[in-house]
Amino acid sequence: MSDPSATSNGAAARSGAGAATGWEPVIGLEVHVELDTETKMFCGCAVTKGDPPNTHTCPVCLAHPGALPVVNRRAVEYAVRIALALGCTVRPRSVFHRKNYFYPDLPKAYQISQYDEPLAVEGSFGYWVGDERLTCRINRVHMEEDAAKLVHAGGEAGRIAGSDYSMVDFNRGGTPLIEIVSEPDIPSPEAAREFLQQLRDLVIGLGVSEAVMEEGQIRWDANISVRPSGSGQLGTRTELKNMNSFRFLHQALEAEFRRQVDFLEAGGAIEQETLHFDPDTGLTTPLRSKEEAHDYRYFPEPDLVPLTADPAWVEELRRSQPELPAARIARFVDDYGLSRYDATVLGGPADLAAFYEAVVAEGVDPKQAANWTMGEYAAHLNAAGIEPGRGHVTPARLAALVRLVQDGTISGTAAKQVFALMVEERGEPREIVERNDLAQVSDAGELQAVVAGVLAGHPAQVEQFRAGKDQVVGFFVGQVMKETQGKANPKLVNELVRRALAG
Ligand SMILES: [Zn+2]
């Protein structure tokens, strides 16, 4: 994504892990994204979630001898869309390779992947860390197929260690998978987390993956090395495999950064290896020494001709790309006058952005609409565990609530109460205000009587005011609000109290 405001030095983003140690981390990511196609990468089996195990299989994805793979065109389209969104060059010709290894979730004993002639190369991804715009170069985007799913039974928390037996569900085997490989341009664990969150927003916004983390539809390996701050050299890296939690990623990178720094300062040399992060102990431990490419004995898949991506077709896809989060965030700043932070929160995820824009389209102030969408509404989504746009709080209803505050019908405090009742009673804000008698009292005559009563009941405080103690006004306003159960218009009460005291 080309972005003229982009910087890649990441000075501010580096403030976390690297600060004050004299060392800085250098992080790269390999991100796997399952594509949301109807069928698998090389056969006609449906891609599904939650169906009974081994109900979507065929000779191709079970690797029966003689079965031949056929490339899923929609998967190629989705992969090209991702590559284009990352500013990559889509190569007119790419090649599928066999990546050979033996594991129970891989019936062919090889995975069809891409190797030295991938689908797309040399892109970049712009992302925000706080107020800083960083750019990470993208090395490549390639296509492959997912492995089947292993289920370990009888052990603790589904881990293989201590389990009694393991089962294989081949429903997932052969699901189209994209691997996005970044260059080691990411300057901190915090930046790595932001990179992944914003990349996830991107693939969801493209409509190519639901990227549900718990389902492993997006997962990643992170590699990290350390170097003396500002030195520009690259140290030996270690790899953290197969993570799908932003929080654990952050913790794991922090832990591994400290381990490497301690080790180097004690005179050790970092070995290239694959590590496991244990969230319980907060430590990284070696899993195995890193495989080299030659361990996989890559060779071109003899059952598939090279993949051609016709440049005219690629251009057609480029023209029909949906609006990407970075462009939408910039538009929210320009069109609605939102701060960059608010625009990122609202404009990043496509579904929340659509909800917000529907509220604004009802004609309410964009800034107020933003506050309510990011505040009460987002909290409600979290609490109810639902996606933006679902549930009974529609854009029209939220806009109606904002309008009631804007025209002074209800106070800001009452509005929060009304929102809670909108969730609970599933009703229209105006009806809820009427039914629960929550309208703000802005009738000067009615309030004057209350003010007079309060002043009469507190002669000592009236004396204090006359003696020059101006703060007593606040006390009177508070008393009037109490008398009216918080329904009085505070601004008007303030005026009336001052007028009565002066008179
Ligand atoms: Zn199949």
Side-chain angles (χ1 to χ4, degrees), residues 27-59:
I27 298 165
L29 293 166
E30 291 176 16
V31 187
H32 284 100
V33 180
E34 273 185 2
L35 298 179
D36 192 19
T37 50
E38 283 178 24
T39 56
K40 293 185 182 180
M41 186 65 222
F42 299 113
C43 64
C45 291
V47 172
T48 58
K49 267 200 311 246
D51 280 2
N54 298 312
T55 49
H56 300 286
T57 61
C58 74

PDB file of all heavy atoms in Angstrom, residues 27-59:
ATOM      1  N   ILE A  27      12.013  -7.993  14.081  1.00  0.00           N
ATOM      2  CA  ILE A  27      10.967  -9.018  14.015  1.00  0.00           C
ATOM      3  C   ILE A  27      10.422  -9.162  12.590  1.00  0.00           C
ATOM      4  O   ILE A  27      10.244  -8.168  11.885  1.00  0.00           O
ATOM      5  CB  ILE A  27       9.808  -8.648  14.977  1.00  0.00           C
ATOM      6  CG1 ILE A  27      10.330  -8.599  16.428  1.00  0.00           C
ATOM      7  CG2 ILE A  27       8.637  -9.629  14.862  1.00  0.00           C
ATOM      8  CD1 ILE A  27       9.406  -7.917  17.401  1.00  0.00           C
ATOM      9  N   GLY A  28      10.220 -10.396  12.187  1.00  0.00           N
ATOM     10  CA  GLY A  28       9.557 -10.677  10.909  1.00  0.00           C
ATOM     11  C   GLY A  28       8.403 -11.637  11.167  1.00  0.00           C
ATOM     12  O   GLY A  28       8.410 -12.384  12.145  1.00  0.00           O
ATOM     13  N   LEU A  29       7.403 -11.645  10.296  1.00  0.00           N
ATOM     14  CA  LEU A  29       6.230 -12.498  10.501  1.00  0.00           C
ATOM     15  C   LEU A  29       5.934 -13.323   9.258  1.00  0.00           C
ATOM     16  O   LEU A  29       6.138 -12.854   8.125  1.00  0.00           O
ATOM     17  CB  LEU A  29       5.007 -11.640  10.835  1.00  0.00           C
ATOM     18  CG  LEU A  29       5.041 -10.902  12.174  1.00  0.00           C
ATOM     19  CD1 LEU A  29       3.957  -9.841  12.228  1.00  0.00           C
ATOM     20  CD2 LEU A  29       4.866 -11.883  13.330  1.00  0.00           C
ATOM     21  N   GLU A  30       5.471 -14.535   9.477  1.00  0.00           N
ATOM     22  CA  GLU A  30       4.906 -15.355   8.407  1.00  0.00           C
ATOM     23  C   GLU A  30       3.476 -15.643   8.806  1.00  0.00           C
ATOM     24  O   GLU A  30       3.236 -16.291   9.821  1.00  0.00           O
ATOM     25  CB  GLU A  30       5.688 -16.665   8.261  1.00  0.00           C
ATOM     26  CG  GLU A  30       7.088 -16.452   7.717  1.00  0.00           C
ATOM     27  CD  GLU A  30       7.890 -17.747   7.669  1.00  0.00           C
ATOM     28  OE1 GLU A  30       7.291 -18.838   7.764  1.00  0.00           O
ATOM     29  OE2 GLU A  30       9.118 -17.654   7.549  1.00  0.00           O
ATOM     30  N   VAL A  31       2.549 -15.114   8.041  1.00  0.00           N
ATOM     31  CA  VAL A  31       1.143 -15.181   8.428  1.00  0.00           C
ATOM     32  C   VAL A  31       0.391 -16.119   7.493  1.00  0.00           C
ATOM     33  O   VAL A  31       0.494 -15.999   6.273  1.00  0.00           O
ATOM     34  CB  VAL A  31       0.498 -13.781   8.367  1.00  0.00           C
ATOM     35  CG1 VAL A  31      -0.918 -13.826   8.930  1.00  0.00           C
ATOM     36  CG2 VAL A  31       1.352 -12.767   9.121  1.00  0.00           C
ATOM     37  N   HIS A  32      -0.333 -17.055   8.085  1.00  0.00           N
ATOM     38  CA  HIS A  32      -1.182 -17.959   7.306  1.00  0.00           C
ATOM     39  C   HIS A  32      -2.626 -17.523   7.418  1.00  0.00           C
ATOM     40  O   HIS A  32      -3.108 -17.267   8.519  1.00  0.00           O
ATOM     41  CB  HIS A  32      -1.052 -19.397   7.822  1.00  0.00           C
ATOM     42  CG  HIS A  32       0.220 -20.065   7.401  1.00  0.00           C
ATOM     43  ND1 HIS A  32       1.301 -20.180   8.229  1.00  0.00           N
ATOM     44  CD2 HIS A  32       0.581 -20.630   6.223  1.00  0.00           C
ATOM     45  CE1 HIS A  32       2.281 -20.801   7.574  1.00  0.00           C
ATOM     46  NE2 HIS A  32       1.871 -21.081   6.357  1.00  0.00           N
ATOM     47  N   VAL A  33      -3.297 -17.444   6.289  1.00  0.00           N
ATOM     48  CA  VAL A  33      -4.709 -17.069   6.281  1.00  0.00           C
ATOM     49  C   VAL A  33      -5.482 -18.118   5.484  1.00  0.00           C
ATOM     50  O   VAL A  33      -5.170 -18.379   4.319  1.00  0.00           O
ATOM     51  CB  VAL A  33      -4.918 -15.685   5.620  1.00  0.00           C
ATOM     52  CG1 VAL A  33      -6.401 -15.312   5.631  1.00  0.00           C
ATOM     53  CG2 VAL A  33      -4.078 -14.621   6.309  1.00  0.00           C
ATOM     54  N   GLU A  34      -6.482 -18.735   6.127  1.00  0.00           N
ATOM     55  CA  GLU A  34      -7.363 -19.665   5.403  1.00  0.00           C
ATOM     56  C   GLU A  34      -8.344 -18.853   4.580  1.00  0.00           C
ATOM     57  O   GLU A  34      -8.951 -17.905   5.078  1.00  0.00           O
ATOM     58  CB  GLU A  34      -8.167 -20.512   6.408  1.00  0.00           C
ATOM     59  CG  GLU A  34      -7.458 -21.757   6.871  1.00  0.00           C
ATOM     60  CD  GLU A  34      -8.373 -22.605   7.762  1.00  0.00           C
ATOM     61  OE1 GLU A  34      -9.545 -22.234   7.968  1.00  0.00           O
ATOM     62  OE2 GLU A  34      -7.901 -23.637   8.261  1.00  0.00           O
ATOM     63  N   LEU A  35      -8.507 -19.226   3.322  1.00  0.00           N
ATOM     64  CA  LEU A  35      -9.403 -18.476   2.450  1.00  0.00           C
ATOM     65  C   LEU A  35     -10.831 -18.993   2.576  1.00  0.00           C
ATOM     66  O   LEU A  35     -11.058 -20.196   2.738  1.00  0.00           O
ATOM     67  CB  LEU A  35      -8.929 -18.578   0.997  1.00  0.00           C
ATOM     68  CG  LEU A  35      -7.536 -17.991   0.746  1.00  0.00           C
ATOM     69  CD1 LEU A  35      -7.158 -18.158  -0.724  1.00  0.00           C
ATOM     70  CD2 LEU A  35      -7.468 -16.523   1.158  1.00  0.00           C
ATOM     71  N   ASP A  36     -11.767 -18.072   2.478  1.00  0.00           N
ATOM     72  CA  ASP A  36     -13.170 -18.389   2.686  1.00  0.00           C
ATOM     73  C   ASP A  36     -13.838 -18.782   1.365  1.00  0.00           C
ATOM     74  O   ASP A  36     -14.829 -18.189   0.947  1.00  0.00           O
ATOM     75  CB  ASP A  36     -13.843 -17.151   3.301  1.00  0.00           C
ATOM     76  CG  ASP A  36     -15.231 -17.461   3.815  1.00  0.00           C
ATOM     77  OD1 ASP A  36     -15.527 -18.653   4.029  1.00  0.00           O
ATOM     78  OD2 ASP A  36     -16.012 -16.519   3.985  1.00  0.00           O
ATOM     79  N   THR A  37     -13.294 -19.772   0.704  1.00  0.00           N
ATOM     80  CA  THR A  37     -13.880 -20.247  -0.552  1.00  0.00           C
ATOM     81  C   THR A  37     -14.936 -21.304  -0.252  1.00  0.00           C
ATOM     82  O   THR A  37     -14.990 -21.846   0.850  1.00  0.00           O
ATOM     83  CB  THR A  37     -12.803 -20.882  -1.451  1.00  0.00           C
ATOM     84  OG1 THR A  37     -12.079 -21.838  -0.661  1.00  0.00           O
ATOM     85  CG2 THR A  37     -11.836 -19.843  -1.963  1.00  0.00           C
ATOM     86  N   GLU A  38     -15.769 -21.609  -1.246  1.00  0.00           N
ATOM     87  CA  GLU A  38     -16.787 -22.635  -1.023  1.00  0.00           C
ATOM     88  C   GLU A  38     -16.175 -24.029  -1.009  1.00  0.00           C
ATOM     89  O   GLU A  38     -16.630 -24.916  -0.291  1.00  0.00           O
ATOM     90  CB  GLU A  38     -17.851 -22.556  -2.112  1.00  0.00           C
ATOM     91  CG  GLU A  38     -18.810 -21.402  -1.873  1.00  0.00           C
ATOM     92  CD  GLU A  38     -19.838 -21.268  -2.972  1.00  0.00           C
ATOM     93  OE1 GLU A  38     -20.112 -22.266  -3.661  1.00  0.00           O
ATOM     94  OE2 GLU A  38     -20.346 -20.151  -3.137  1.00  0.00           O
ATOM     95  N   THR A  39     -15.148 -24.219  -1.851  1.00  0.00           N
ATOM     96  CA  THR A  39     -14.544 -25.549  -1.949  1.00  0.00           C
ATOM     97  C   THR A  39     -13.047 -25.490  -1.667  1.00  0.00           C
ATOM     98  O   THR A  39     -12.452 -24.423  -1.605  1.00  0.00           O
ATOM     99  CB  THR A  39     -14.773 -26.153  -3.350  1.00  0.00           C
ATOM    100  OG1 THR A  39     -14.255 -25.237  -4.319  1.00  0.00           O
ATOM    101  CG2 THR A  39     -16.252 -26.374  -3.625  1.00  0.00           C
ATOM    102  N   LYS A  40     -12.461 -26.675  -1.540  1.00  0.00           N
ATOM    103  CA  LYS A  40     -11.046 -26.767  -1.167  1.00  0.00           C
ATOM    104  C   LYS A  40     -10.110 -26.357  -2.308  1.00  0.00           C
ATOM    105  O   LYS A  40     -10.547 -26.103  -3.431  1.00  0.00           O
ATOM    106  CB  LYS A  40     -10.744 -28.200  -0.709  1.00  0.00           C
ATOM    107  CG  LYS A  40     -11.445 -28.566   0.608  1.00  0.00           C
ATOM    108  CD  LYS A  40     -11.019 -29.951   1.101  1.00  0.00           C
ATOM    109  CE  LYS A  40     -11.761 -30.310   2.393  1.00  0.00           C
ATOM    110  NZ  LYS A  40     -11.370 -31.669   2.894  1.00  0.00           N
ATOM    111  N   MET A  41      -8.829 -26.317  -1.995  1.00  0.00           N
ATOM    112  CA  MET A  41      -7.831 -25.790  -2.934  1.00  0.00           C
ATOM    113  C   MET A  41      -7.706 -26.633  -4.203  1.00  0.00           C
ATOM    114  O   MET A  41      -7.530 -26.109  -5.301  1.00  0.00           O
ATOM    115  CB  MET A  41      -6.475 -25.719  -2.211  1.00  0.00           C
ATOM    116  CG  MET A  41      -5.356 -25.068  -2.989  1.00  0.00           C
ATOM    117  SD  MET A  41      -5.630 -23.322  -3.316  1.00  0.00           S
ATOM    118  CE  MET A  41      -5.081 -23.219  -5.010  1.00  0.00           C
ATOM    119  N   PHE A  42      -7.762 -27.965  -4.060  1.00  0.00           N
ATOM    120  CA  PHE A  42      -7.492 -28.814  -5.220  1.00  0.00           C
ATOM    121  C   PHE A  42      -8.573 -29.856  -5.496  1.00  0.00           C
ATOM    122  O   PHE A  42      -8.372 -30.780  -6.263  1.00  0.00           O
ATOM    123  CB  PHE A  42      -6.136 -29.521  -5.059  1.00  0.00           C
ATOM    124  CG  PHE A  42      -4.977 -28.565  -4.949  1.00  0.00           C
ATOM    125  CD1 PHE A  42      -4.252 -28.459  -3.773  1.00  0.00           C
ATOM    126  CD2 PHE A  42      -4.615 -27.761  -6.032  1.00  0.00           C
ATOM    127  CE1 PHE A  42      -3.182 -27.568  -3.674  1.00  0.00           C
ATOM    128  CE2 PHE A  42      -3.551 -26.872  -5.946  1.00  0.00           C
ATOM    129  CZ  PHE A  42      -2.838 -26.772  -4.760  1.00  0.00           C
ATOM    130  N   CYS A  43      -9.724 -29.765  -4.784  1.00  0.00           N
ATOM    131  CA  CYS A  43     -10.807 -30.707  -5.037  1.00  0.00           C
ATOM    132  C   CYS A  43     -12.139 -30.010  -4.796  1.00  0.00           C
ATOM    133  O   CYS A  43     -12.171 -28.849  -4.413  1.00  0.00           O
ATOM    134  CB  CYS A  43     -10.680 -31.947  -4.142  1.00  0.00           C
ATOM    135  SG  CYS A  43     -10.855 -31.592  -2.377  1.00  0.00           S
ATOM    136  N   GLY A  44     -13.245 -30.713  -5.025  1.00  0.00           N
ATOM    137  CA  GLY A  44     -14.560 -30.091  -4.928  1.00  0.00           C
ATOM    138  C   GLY A  44     -15.202 -30.199  -3.557  1.00  0.00           C
ATOM    139  O   GLY A  44     -16.362 -29.825  -3.386  1.00  0.00           O
ATOM    140  N   CYS A  45     -14.477 -30.719  -2.552  1.00  0.00           N
ATOM    141  CA  CYS A  45     -15.052 -30.841  -1.205  1.00  0.00           C
ATOM    142  C   CYS A  45     -15.346 -29.462  -0.633  1.00  0.00           C
ATOM    143  O   CYS A  45     -14.591 -28.519  -0.833  1.00  0.00           O
ATOM    144  CB  CYS A  45     -14.070 -31.553  -0.275  1.00  0.00           C
ATOM    145  SG  CYS A  45     -13.845 -33.283  -0.664  1.00  0.00           S
ATOM    146  N   ALA A  46     -16.469 -29.388   0.120  1.00  0.00           N
ATOM    147  CA  ALA A  46     -16.861 -28.108   0.711  1.00  0.00           C
ATOM    148  C   ALA A  46     -15.906 -27.723   1.839  1.00  0.00           C
ATOM    149  O   ALA A  46     -15.441 -28.572   2.594  1.00  0.00           O
ATOM    150  CB  ALA A  46     -18.282 -28.209   1.240  1.00  0.00           C
ATOM    151  N   VAL A  47     -15.609 -26.411   1.941  1.00  0.00           N
ATOM    152  CA  VAL A  47     -14.884 -25.873   3.098  1.00  0.00           C
ATOM    153  C   VAL A  47     -15.944 -25.513   4.134  1.00  0.00           C
ATOM    154  O   VAL A  47     -16.813 -24.688   3.862  1.00  0.00           O
ATOM    155  CB  VAL A  47     -14.070 -24.627   2.708  1.00  0.00           C
ATOM    156  CG1 VAL A  47     -13.488 -23.954   3.941  1.00  0.00           C
ATOM    157  CG2 VAL A  47     -12.959 -25.009   1.739  1.00  0.00           C
ATOM    158  N   THR A  48     -15.906 -26.154   5.285  1.00  0.00           N
ATOM    159  CA  THR A  48     -16.956 -25.950   6.290  1.00  0.00           C
ATOM    160  C   THR A  48     -16.349 -25.770   7.668  1.00  0.00           C
ATOM    161  O   THR A  48     -15.157 -25.985   7.871  1.00  0.00           O
ATOM    162  CB  THR A  48     -17.877 -27.182   6.368  1.00  0.00           C
ATOM    163  OG1 THR A  48     -17.068 -28.311   6.689  1.00  0.00           O
ATOM    164  CG2 THR A  48     -18.608 -27.418   5.069  1.00  0.00           C
ATOM    165  N   LYS A  49     -17.205 -25.387   8.584  1.00  0.00           N
ATOM    166  CA  LYS A  49     -16.812 -25.276   9.990  1.00  0.00           C
ATOM    167  C   LYS A  49     -17.844 -26.021  10.803  1.00  0.00           C
ATOM    168  O   LYS A  49     -19.028 -25.887  10.559  1.00  0.00           O
ATOM    169  CB  LYS A  49     -16.848 -23.808  10.431  1.00  0.00           C
ATOM    170  CG  LYS A  49     -15.579 -23.059  10.321  1.00  0.00           C
ATOM    171  CD  LYS A  49     -15.569 -21.804  11.201  1.00  0.00           C
ATOM    172  CE  LYS A  49     -16.767 -20.901  11.101  1.00  0.00           C
ATOM    173  NZ  LYS A  49     -16.474 -19.592  10.542  1.00  0.00           N
ATOM    174  N   GLY A  50     -17.383 -26.807  11.763  1.00  0.00           N
ATOM    175  CA  GLY A  50     -18.311 -27.380  12.732  1.00  0.00           C
ATOM    176  C   GLY A  50     -19.107 -28.596  12.263  1.00  0.00           C
ATOM    177  O   GLY A  50     -19.962 -29.083  12.989  1.00  0.00           O
ATOM    178  N   ASP A  51     -18.848 -29.075  11.039  1.00  0.00           N
ATOM    179  CA  ASP A  51     -19.547 -30.281  10.611  1.00  0.00           C
ATOM    180  C   ASP A  51     -18.905 -31.512  11.256  1.00  0.00           C
ATOM    181  O   ASP A  51     -17.772 -31.460  11.703  1.00  0.00           O
ATOM    182  CB  ASP A  51     -19.494 -30.409   9.078  1.00  0.00           C
ATOM    183  CG  ASP A  51     -20.537 -29.523   8.412  1.00  0.00           C
ATOM    184  OD1 ASP A  51     -21.249 -28.809   9.154  1.00  0.00           O
ATOM    185  OD2 ASP A  51     -20.636 -29.535   7.183  1.00  0.00           O
ATOM    186  N   PRO A  52     -19.648 -32.648  11.293  1.00  0.00           N
ATOM    187  CA  PRO A  52     -19.057 -33.854  11.884  1.00  0.00           C
ATOM    188  C   PRO A  52     -17.730 -34.205  11.180  1.00  0.00           C
ATOM    189  O   PRO A  52     -17.601 -33.982   9.969  1.00  0.00           O
ATOM    190  CB  PRO A  52     -20.111 -34.929  11.612  1.00  0.00           C
ATOM    191  CG  PRO A  52     -21.389 -34.177  11.429  1.00  0.00           C
ATOM    192  CD  PRO A  52     -21.026 -32.850  10.842  1.00  0.00           C
ATOM    193  N   PRO A  53     -16.762 -34.717  11.918  1.00  0.00           N
ATOM    194  CA  PRO A  53     -15.436 -35.003  11.365  1.00  0.00           C
ATOM    195  C   PRO A  53     -15.507 -35.929  10.146  1.00  0.00           C
ATOM    196  O   PRO A  53     -16.356 -36.826  10.080  1.00  0.00           O
ATOM    197  CB  PRO A  53     -14.695 -35.696  12.504  1.00  0.00           C
ATOM    198  CG  PRO A  53     -15.416 -35.291  13.737  1.00  0.00           C
ATOM    199  CD  PRO A  53     -16.843 -35.047  13.339  1.00  0.00           C
ATOM    200  N   ASN A  54     -14.618 -35.680   9.200  1.00  0.00           N
ATOM    201  CA  ASN A  54     -14.417 -36.555   8.032  1.00  0.00           C
ATOM    202  C   ASN A  54     -15.660 -36.756   7.187  1.00  0.00           C
ATOM    203  O   ASN A  54     -15.881 -37.824   6.622  1.00  0.00           O
ATOM    204  CB  ASN A  54     -13.839 -37.904   8.499  1.00  0.00           C
ATOM    205  CG  ASN A  54     -12.486 -37.697   9.160  1.00  0.00           C
ATOM    206  OD1 ASN A  54     -11.628 -37.009   8.610  1.00  0.00           O
ATOM    207  ND2 ASN A  54     -12.303 -38.248  10.354  1.00  0.00           N
ATOM    208  N   THR A  55     -16.480 -35.687   7.080  1.00  0.00           N
ATOM    209  CA  THR A  55     -17.653 -35.746   6.220  1.00  0.00           C
ATOM    210  C   THR A  55     -17.424 -34.975   4.919  1.00  0.00           C
ATOM    211  O   THR A  55     -18.271 -35.000   4.033  1.00  0.00           O
ATOM    212  CB  THR A  55     -18.896 -35.178   6.926  1.00  0.00           C
ATOM    213  OG1 THR A  55     -18.565 -33.906   7.488  1.00  0.00           O
ATOM    214  CG2 THR A  55     -19.365 -36.098   8.023  1.00  0.00           C
ATOM    215  N   HIS A  56     -16.306 -34.270   4.811  1.00  0.00           N
ATOM    216  CA  HIS A  56     -15.994 -33.546   3.575  1.00  0.00           C
ATOM    217  C   HIS A  56     -14.626 -33.989   3.072  1.00  0.00           C
ATOM    218  O   HIS A  56     -13.625 -33.309   3.279  1.00  0.00           O
ATOM    219  CB  HIS A  56     -16.040 -32.033   3.808  1.00  0.00           C
ATOM    220  CG  HIS A  56     -17.383 -31.569   4.271  1.00  0.00           C
ATOM    221  ND1 HIS A  56     -18.472 -31.493   3.424  1.00  0.00           N
ATOM    222  CD2 HIS A  56     -17.829 -31.204   5.498  1.00  0.00           C
ATOM    223  CE1 HIS A  56     -19.532 -31.073   4.117  1.00  0.00           C
ATOM    224  NE2 HIS A  56     -19.168 -30.896   5.366  1.00  0.00           N
ATOM    225  N   THR A  57     -14.605 -35.172   2.482  1.00  0.00           N
ATOM    226  CA  THR A  57     -13.346 -35.744   2.001  1.00  0.00           C
ATOM    227  C   THR A  57     -13.611 -36.420   0.655  1.00  0.00           C
ATOM    228  O   THR A  57     -14.747 -36.734   0.323  1.00  0.00           O
ATOM    229  CB  THR A  57     -12.800 -36.814   2.979  1.00  0.00           C
ATOM    230  OG1 THR A  57     -13.757 -37.857   3.070  1.00  0.00           O
ATOM    231  CG2 THR A  57     -12.535 -36.233   4.357  1.00  0.00           C
ATOM    232  N   CYS A  58     -12.523 -36.615  -0.085  1.00  0.00           N
ATOM    233  CA  CYS A  58     -12.639 -37.311  -1.370  1.00  0.00           C
ATOM    234  C   CYS A  58     -11.267 -37.928  -1.685  1.00  0.00           C
ATOM    235  O   CYS A  58     -10.305 -37.687  -0.952  1.00  0.00           O
ATOM    236  CB  CYS A  58     -13.087 -36.339  -2.462  1.00  0.00           C
ATOM    237  SG  CYS A  58     -11.775 -35.214  -2.981  1.00  0.00           S
ATOM    238  N   PRO A  59     -11.162 -38.681  -2.755  1.00  0.00           N
ATOM    239  CA  PRO A  59      -9.854 -39.295  -3.068  1.00  0.00           C
ATOM    240  C   PRO A  59      -8.722 -38.269  -3.192  1.00  0.00           C
ATOM    241  O   PRO A  59      -7.582 -38.582  -2.859  1.00  0.00           O
ATOM    242  CB  PRO A  59     -10.131 -40.001  -4.404  1.00  0.00           C
ATOM    243  CG  PRO A  59     -11.587 -40.349  -4.350  1.00  0.00           C
ATOM    244  CD  PRO A  59     -12.236 -39.188  -3.642  1.00  0.00           C
TER     245      PRO A  59
END
